[in-house]
Amino acid sequence: MTRGKTFNKLREKERQLRREIILDAAECVFASTPFSQVSMRRIAKEAGISAASIYTYFPDQESLFLESYLRRTKDIVAILKKISDEHGAGLLEKMTLAYISYITKQDVYSTMVAHFMLYSNLNMESVEKLNSIEQAVLDCFETAIIKSKVIGNTRLFAHALFASLNGIFITFHNYPGRKGEDVLRHMKRLALIMCNLFVPVDNHHP
Amino acid sequence: MTRGKTFNKLREKERQLRREIILDAAECVFASTPFSQVSMRRIAKEAGISAASIYTYFPDQESLFLESYLRRTKDIVAILKKISDEHGAGLLEKMTLAYISYITKQDVYSTMVAHFMLYSNLNMESVEKLNSIEQAVLDCFETAIIKSKVIGNTRLFAHALFASLNGIFITFHNYPGRKGEDVLRHMKRLALIMCNLFVPVDNHHP
DNA sequence: TGTACATCAGTGAACGCGCGTTCACTGATGTAC
DNA sequence: TGTACATCAGTGAACGCGCGTTCACTGATGTAC
């Protein structure tokens, strides 16, 4: 039955690829449409399939959304992890700016944060998944904080910094009157202020 | 026509009162229902009138939501303003905790922040209203920061602190596993960390 | 005081819409002999 | 190689639902004479 198993593996692989295509489409729609207009039909259209087909790969809308969000967050974690593995001064600044850049570039991310905040009808398993990925992000920030020789409850500091950066984004990314570049500059400026409060400039050049 | 005018004034006053009742109902529904389930019909039911009646007082749903949000925010501004008029050490701490307490108690507020973030199809006039009330909040924080003898770009600091507090709330108010009291304690702890980063303890007891 | 008319808040029913999801069915591909 | 059957991704159409909003109408109240 080796041949049979190989066939099955291939089939499973194809299935995974098709899932990815749907997830790609979902992100694309999330990124280009106001959240209220994101629907199974739109995502299906973007993926070039019928809405009914989505249900071959995801049990329901919530699962699709969650998985899409998790994939994005894993992306962030990978980026932050890489930075936290580095050494030298300005590590936390670098991470902070990377985080702000990412969530600005990928509107999907913040839209989904807000979504899961507003419609938290998630089952326990989903909540667990969300929690563990959030812990992973926090781990990265904490590592950077520790490496910056900050003294105190570093986990709490990581919480505070992480929350602050989210807040900066949410509060100002729709700042009326200004647009694009300006908003990003403002957010980065605020982010650096936060960052430097945690790691006084003294520590950067000891 | 004095009598006529008086009648008209009374009628106008009654009209305002009826508007208030609808706004009260809206807030009540916002506070007790997941956002996705907030609808004109529910608000009407809460107010004890028919859904159609709402349109006698508000042109459409968005106006109702916005006005509801503005009323809440004016409430916050009043509270913060009162605090910022005080003197003495720990002013900023006091304000910070008051803000966190308020937005925790009134889930309406944060839900709406997220709403206006997600569905920003507002017309210019609405955006203007949102902006000016946000400036009023920022004014309060800046005043407190100045009174705490912080040196630097106090406006930017106000931005950063305000955004951070919003972020703390949004990031942790659904913190899985913990509930109610614990979450509030955690948020307040983080808020105080933020606060003390801006106003080092030295400044509190000079 | 009585009567005819005007005003206007309030209503139930309906309109049109888009949604998430289901289902009977198609059609391509793989399997068995 | 050819044939009958099994599997399964994919589909269009439909279901049932709740939404925001509109509208013709009611009924209470105020106004004019």
Side-chain angles (χ1 to χ4, degrees):
Chain A
M1 286 300 288
T2 314
R3 188 134 40 165
K5 276 187 184 172
T6 311
F7 266 124
N8 283 343
K9 270 188 190 172
L10 274 176
R11 198 174 301 174
E12 183 54 30
K13 205 165 187 176
E14 276 174 29
R15 195 181 153 80
Q16 278 302 330
L17 285 176
R18 289 196 212 97
R19 277 173 64 93
E20 298 284 321
I21 289 171
I22 294 171
L23 287 171
D24 287 343
E27 275 182 26
C28 185
V29 174
F30 268 112
S32 63
T33 324
F35 181 78
S36 57
Q37 286 167 37
V38 175
S39 69
M40 297 303 258
R41 282 174 176 80
R42 283 231 188 184
I43 292 170
K45 197 176 173 187
E46 178 70 34
I49 59 178
S50 80
S53 293
I54 294 180
Y55 291 85
T56 309
Y57 299 95
F58 300 91
D60 52 33
Q61 193 183 55
E62 199 63 34
S63 301
L64 172 59
F65 284 10
L66 180 67
E67 203 144 339
S68 180
Y69 173 65
L70 287 177
R71 214 172 53 145
R72 264 292 145 244
T73 316
K74 277 172 192 162
D75 231 39
I76 293 188
V77 170
I79 292 172
L80 298 186
K81 192 94 187 38
K82 205 176 155 197
I83 295 176
S84 77
D85 285 343
E86 297 177 10
H87 290 278
L91 194 63
L92 194 59
E93 276 192 9
K94 200 171 171 185
M95 184 175 289
T96 297
L97 292 179
Y99 185 70
I100 288 285
S101 292
Y102 190 92
I103 65 180
T104 309
K105 215 164 137 193
Q106 304 286 340
D107 248 4
V108 202
Y109 182 72
S110 62
T111 304
M112 290 207 161
V113 170
H115 165 71
F116 287 117
M117 175 195 160
L118 288 180
Y119 309 84
S120 53
N121 294 323
L122 299 172
N123 56 43
M124 254 184 49
E125 195 191 349
S126 303
V127 169
E128 200 53 52
K129 280 183 188 171
L130 279 177
N131 189 32
S132 80
I133 196 81
E134 189 176 306
Q135 292 303 324
V137 175
L138 287 168
D139 286 345
C140 295
F141 276 107
E142 191 182 4
T143 302
I145 288 173
I146 290 173
K147 282 193 178 174
S148 299
K149 293 170 188 145
V150 174
I151 292 165
N153 189 331
T154 50
R155 193 60 177 186
L156 265 192
F157 287 166
H159 276 223
L161 180 58
F162 175 61
S164 301
L165 298 181
N166 289 335
I168 287 170
F169 181 78
I170 285 170
T171 308
F172 293 111
H173 97 297
N174 261 343
Y175 206 59
R178 303 189 188 179
K179 293 220 166 187
E181 282 287 319
D182 288 345
V183 170
L184 182 57
R185 198 177 308 119
H186 186 58
M187 294 196 305
K188 284 188 172 178
R189 206 172 162 194
L190 292 176
L192 284 182
I193 286 178
M194 295 311 311
C195 188
N196 285 326
L197 287 174
F198 283 100
V199 185
V201 181
D202 302 336
N203 278 20
H204 286 166
H205 312 289
Chain B
M1 288 298 290
T2 313
R3 188 134 41 165
K5 275 188 183 174
T6 310
F7 266 123
N8 282 344
K9 269 190 190 173
L10 273 177
R11 197 175 301 174
E12 182 55 31
K13 205 165 187 175
E14 275 174 29
R15 194 182 153 80
Q16 277 303 330
L17 285 177
R18 289 198 212 96
R19 276 174 64 93
E20 298 284 321
I21 288 172
I22 294 171
L23 288 171
D24 288 342
E27 275 182 26
C28 185
V29 174
F30 268 111
S32 65
T33 326
F35 181 78
S36 59
Q37 287 168 36
V38 175
S39 70
M40 297 304 258
R41 282 173 177 81
R42 284 229 188 184
I43 292 170
K45 196 176 172 187
E46 179 69 35
I49 57 177
S50 81
S53 293
I54 295 180
Y55 291 86
T56 309
Y57 299 95
F58 300 92
D60 53 31
Q61 191 184 56
E62 199 62 34
S63 301
L64 171 59
F65 284 9
L66 181 66
E67 204 143 339
S68 179
Y69 174 65
L70 287 178
R71 212 172 55 144
R72 264 292 145 244
T73 317
K74 276 171 192 161
D75 231 39
I76 294 188
V77 170
I79 293 172
L80 298 185
K81 192 94 184 43
K82 205 176 156 200
I83 296 177
S84 77
D85 284 344
E86 299 176 9
H87 290 279
L91 195 63
L92 194 60
E93 275 193 10
K94 200 172 172 186
M95 184 175 290
T96 297
L97 291 179
Y99 186 70
I100 289 284
S101 292
Y102 190 92
I103 65 179
T104 308
K105 216 164 137 194
Q106 303 287 342
D107 248 5
V108 202
Y109 182 73
S110 62
T111 304
M112 291 205 161
V113 169
H115 166 71
F116 287 117
M117 175 195 161
L118 287 180
Y119 309 82
S120 53
N121 294 323
L122 299 172
N123 57 43
M124 252 184 50
E125 194 191 349
S126 303
V127 169
E128 200 54 52
K129 281 183 188 171
L130 278 178
N131 190 33
S132 80
I133 196 80
E134 188 175 308
Q135 293 303 323
V137 175
L138 287 169
D139 286 344
C140 294
F141 276 106
E142 191 181 5
T143 302
I145 288 174
I146 290 173
K147 283 195 179 174
S148 299
K149 293 170 187 147
V150 174
I151 292 163
N153 189 331
T154 49
R155 193 61 176 184
L156 264 192
F157 287 166
H159 276 224
L161 180 58
F162 174 61
S164 300
L165 298 181
N166 289 335
I168 286 171
F169 181 78
I170 285 170
T171 307
F172 293 110
H173 96 299
N174 261 343
Y175 205 60
R178 303 189 189 179
K179 293 221 166 184
E181 282 289 318
D182 287 343
V183 170
L184 181 57
R185 197 178 308 121
H186 186 58
M187 294 196 306
K188 285 190 172 176
R189 205 171 163 195
L190 292 176
L192 283 183
I193 287 179
M194 296 310 311
C195 188
N196 286 326
L197 287 173
F198 284 100
V199 185
V201 182
D202 302 336
N203 279 19
H204 286 165
H205 313 289

